[in-house]
Amino acid sequence: SKMRAVVQRVSSASVTVDGQLISKIGKGVLVLLGITKGDNNNDSEYMVRKILNTRLWPNAEGKAWTSSVSSNKLEVLLVSQFTLYAELKGNKPDFHSAMKPDEAKVIYEDVLSKLQKAHHPDLVKGGVFGAMMDVSLSNDGPVTIQLESKKENKSEKNEDVQK
Protein backbone atom coordinates (compact mmCIF):
# COMPACT_ATOMS: atom_id res chain seq x y z
CA SER A 1 0.00 0.00 0.00
CA LYS A 2 0.99 3.60 -0.53
CA MET A 3 0.95 6.97 1.17
CA ARG A 4 -2.01 9.03 -0.05
CA ALA A 5 -2.62 12.74 -0.33
CA VAL A 6 -5.51 14.87 -1.47
CA VAL A 7 -4.10 18.20 -2.67
CA GLN A 8 -6.47 21.14 -3.03
CA ARG A 9 -5.47 24.39 -4.70
CA VAL A 10 -6.67 27.11 -2.33
CA SER A 11 -6.86 30.87 -2.10
CA SER A 12 -6.82 30.37 1.69
CA ALA A 13 -7.11 27.63 4.30
CA SER A 14 -6.97 27.32 8.07
CA VAL A 15 -7.05 24.83 10.93
CA THR A 16 -8.86 25.53 14.20
CA VAL A 17 -8.84 23.29 17.29
CA ASP A 18 -11.23 24.01 20.18
CA GLY A 19 -11.94 27.47 18.78
CA GLN A 20 -8.21 28.35 18.61
CA LEU A 21 -6.68 29.21 15.24
CA ILE A 22 -3.68 26.88 14.84
CA SER A 23 -2.52 27.58 11.28
CA LYS A 24 -3.61 29.57 8.28
CA ILE A 25 -2.29 30.07 4.79
CA GLY A 26 -3.11 32.27 1.83
CA LYS A 27 -2.63 31.13 -1.78
CA GLY A 28 -1.22 27.61 -2.04
CA VAL A 29 -2.31 24.06 -1.27
CA LEU A 30 -4.16 22.32 1.51
CA VAL A 31 -2.82 18.76 1.69
CA LEU A 32 -4.72 15.99 3.47
CA LEU A 33 -2.10 13.30 4.10
CA GLY A 34 -2.94 9.65 4.73
CA ILE A 35 -0.25 7.32 6.07
CA THR A 36 -0.56 3.55 5.79
CA LYS A 37 1.29 0.54 7.18
CA GLY A 38 4.70 0.17 5.57
CA ASP A 39 5.11 3.82 4.53
CA ASN A 40 8.72 4.94 4.84
CA ASN A 41 11.20 7.64 3.90
CA ASN A 42 10.83 6.93 0.14
CA ASP A 43 7.08 7.59 0.36
CA SER A 44 7.69 10.79 2.35
CA GLU A 45 10.27 12.09 -0.14
CA TYR A 46 8.01 11.28 -3.11
CA MET A 47 5.10 13.21 -1.53
CA VAL A 48 7.27 16.21 -0.70
CA ARG A 49 8.52 16.40 -4.32
CA LYS A 50 5.02 16.09 -5.75
CA ILE A 51 3.38 18.55 -3.32
CA LEU A 52 5.98 21.20 -4.13
CA ASN A 53 6.41 20.56 -7.88
CA THR A 54 2.99 19.55 -9.27
CA ARG A 55 1.96 22.29 -11.69
CA LEU A 56 -1.48 23.39 -10.55
CA TRP A 57 -1.33 27.07 -11.60
CA PRO A 58 -1.02 28.98 -14.86
CA ASN A 59 2.19 30.87 -15.62
CA ALA A 60 2.44 34.66 -15.96
CA GLU A 61 1.16 34.43 -19.57
CA GLY A 62 -1.91 32.49 -18.41
CA LYS A 63 -0.86 29.08 -19.83
CA ALA A 64 -2.63 26.50 -17.63
CA TRP A 65 -0.87 23.84 -15.53
CA THR A 66 2.60 25.34 -15.78
CA SER A 67 3.63 26.56 -12.33
CA SER A 68 3.85 25.01 -8.87
CA VAL A 69 3.95 25.77 -5.14
CA SER A 70 7.73 25.80 -5.48
CA SER A 71 8.02 28.02 -8.56
CA ASN A 72 5.41 30.49 -7.20
CA LYS A 73 6.73 30.44 -3.59
CA LEU A 74 3.22 29.62 -2.34
CA GLU A 75 2.06 28.20 0.99
CA VAL A 76 1.33 24.65 2.13
CA LEU A 77 -1.00 23.52 4.93
CA LEU A 78 -0.41 19.84 5.75
CA VAL A 79 -3.15 18.02 7.69
CA SER A 80 -3.01 14.38 8.74
CA GLN A 81 -6.04 12.41 7.48
CA PHE A 82 -6.22 8.70 8.35
CA THR A 83 -9.76 8.54 6.92
CA LEU A 84 -8.22 8.46 3.42
CA TYR A 85 -7.83 4.71 4.15
CA ALA A 86 -11.51 4.08 4.84
CA GLU A 87 -12.86 0.79 3.51
CA LEU A 88 -16.58 0.31 3.86
CA LYS A 89 -17.89 -2.73 5.74
CA GLY A 90 -21.52 -2.37 4.74
CA ASN A 91 -22.02 1.32 5.49
CA LYS A 92 -19.46 1.56 8.31
CA PRO A 93 -15.99 2.86 7.49
CA ASP A 94 -13.11 0.68 8.66
CA PHE A 95 -9.63 2.20 8.97
CA HIS A 96 -7.47 -0.87 9.63
CA SER A 97 -5.14 -0.03 6.70
CA ALA A 98 -4.15 3.30 8.26
CA MET A 99 -0.87 3.26 10.17
CA LYS A 100 -1.22 3.22 13.97
CA PRO A 101 -1.29 6.79 15.36
CA ASP A 102 1.99 6.72 17.31
CA GLU A 103 3.97 5.57 14.23
CA ALA A 104 1.99 7.74 11.79
CA LYS A 105 2.69 10.86 13.89
CA VAL A 106 6.45 10.39 13.41
CA ILE A 107 6.02 10.12 9.62
CA TYR A 108 3.60 13.07 9.46
CA GLU A 109 6.08 15.25 11.38
CA ASP A 110 8.88 14.06 9.10
CA VAL A 111 6.89 15.01 5.96
CA LEU A 112 6.14 18.42 7.50
CA SER A 113 9.80 19.07 8.30
CA LYS A 114 10.96 17.81 4.87
CA LEU A 115 8.48 20.22 3.21
CA GLN A 116 9.77 23.09 5.36
CA LYS A 117 13.40 22.29 4.50
CA ALA A 118 12.75 21.76 0.77
CA HIS A 119 10.54 24.87 0.42
CA HIS A 120 10.61 27.49 3.16
CA PRO A 121 9.93 27.09 6.91
CA ASP A 122 7.55 30.08 7.03
CA LEU A 123 5.51 28.91 4.03
CA VAL A 124 4.68 25.41 5.34
CA LYS A 125 2.21 24.99 8.21
CA GLY A 126 0.65 21.99 9.89
CA GLY A 127 -2.45 20.91 11.74
CA VAL A 128 -2.48 19.15 15.12
CA PHE A 129 -1.87 15.43 14.69
CA GLY A 130 -4.71 13.34 16.10
CA ALA A 131 -6.81 16.32 17.19
CA MET A 132 -10.40 17.00 16.15
CA MET A 133 -9.78 19.88 13.77
CA ASP A 134 -12.01 22.32 11.92
CA VAL A 135 -10.35 22.65 8.53
CA SER A 136 -11.64 25.50 6.46
CA LEU A 137 -10.63 26.28 2.89
CA SER A 138 -11.50 28.26 -0.15
CA ASN A 139 -10.81 25.85 -3.05
CA ASP A 140 -9.52 27.85 -6.00
CA GLY A 141 -11.02 26.45 -9.22
CA PRO A 142 -11.97 24.08 -7.70
CA VAL A 143 -8.78 22.11 -8.29
CA THR A 144 -8.35 18.90 -6.30
CA ILE A 145 -5.96 16.07 -7.13
CA GLN A 146 -5.14 12.74 -5.50
CA LEU A 147 -1.57 11.52 -5.09
CA GLU A 148 -0.28 8.08 -4.15
CA SER A 149 3.36 7.40 -3.53
CA LYS A 150 4.89 4.76 -5.72
CA LYS A 151 7.73 2.55 -4.83
CA GLU A 152 10.87 4.17 -6.29
CA ASN A 153 11.74 3.24 -9.87
CA LYS A 154 13.90 4.64 -12.69
CA SER A 155 11.12 6.31 -14.71
CA GLU A 156 10.08 8.27 -11.61
CA LYS A 157 13.60 9.60 -11.13
CA ASN A 158 13.75 10.74 -14.79
CA GLU A 159 10.32 12.34 -14.63
CA ASP A 160 11.39 14.55 -11.71
CA VAL A 161 14.49 15.77 -13.55
CA GLN A 162 12.30 17.09 -16.41
CA LYS A 163 10.31 19.54 -14.26
Side-chain angles (χ1 to χ4, degrees):
S1 46
K2 304 163 179 174
M3 193 177 285
R4 291 178 180 164
V6 173
V7 179
Q8 298 179 84
R9 186 176 80 178
V10 299
S11 43
S12 64
S14 64
V15 172
T16 306
V17 175
D18 295 329
Q20 293 289 106
L21 179 67
I22 303 298
S23 297
K24 69 175 183 153
I25 63 167
K27 186 175 178 181
V29 290
L30 169 66
V31 180
L32 303 175
L33 185 71
I35 301 164
T36 187
K37 297 167 184 161
D39 280 347
N40 60 32
N41 195 50
N42 288 344
D43 301 288
S44 299
E45 287 178 351
Y46 175 89
M47 280 302 180
V48 167
R49 285 196 312 272
K50 292 303 174 190
I51 290 164
L52 295 178
N53 296 309
T54 299
R55 297 180 300 212
L56 299 177
W57 287 269
N59 63 10
E61 292 74 51
K63 185 172 186 317
W65 316 113
T66 50
S67 67
S68 64
V69 166
S70 192
S71 64
N72 291 321
K73 298 187 173 43
L74 300 178
E75 294 184 273
V76 177
L77 179 53
L78 184 73
V79 174
S80 173
Q81 182 78 94
F82 73 89
T83 62
L84 291 178
Y85 290 97
E87 290 171 34
L88 292 183
K89 306 281 194 219
N91 289 324
K92 182 176 191 253
D94 177 284
F95 305 108
H96 74 273
S97 334
M99 186 179 278
K100 293 195 175 10
D102 50 342
E103 300 166 51
K105 182 175 201 241
V106 173
I107 293 183
Y108 165 79
E109 286 171 351
D110 180 56
V111 171
L112 187 62
S113 99
K114 280 180 164 70
L115 279 167
Q116 289 168 331
K117 286 190 185 93
H119 190 45
H120 193 289
D122 297 338
L123 295 178
V124 178
K125 313 260 171 51
V128 177
F129 185 91
M132 281 299 291
M133 293 175 272
D134 282 321
V135 178
S136 138
L137 70 141
S138 180
N139 192 322
D140 170 24
V143 172
T144 302
I145 65 165
Q146 296 177 1
L147 299 175
E148 277 201 345
S149 63
K150 351 192 220 281
K151 302 310 167 198
E152 205 58 46
N153 62 42
K154 279 201 173 85
S155 69
E156 171 57 36
K157 283 208 184 314
N158 296 339
E159 172 194 319
D160 274 330
V161 172
Q162 306 160 353
K163 285 202 173 75

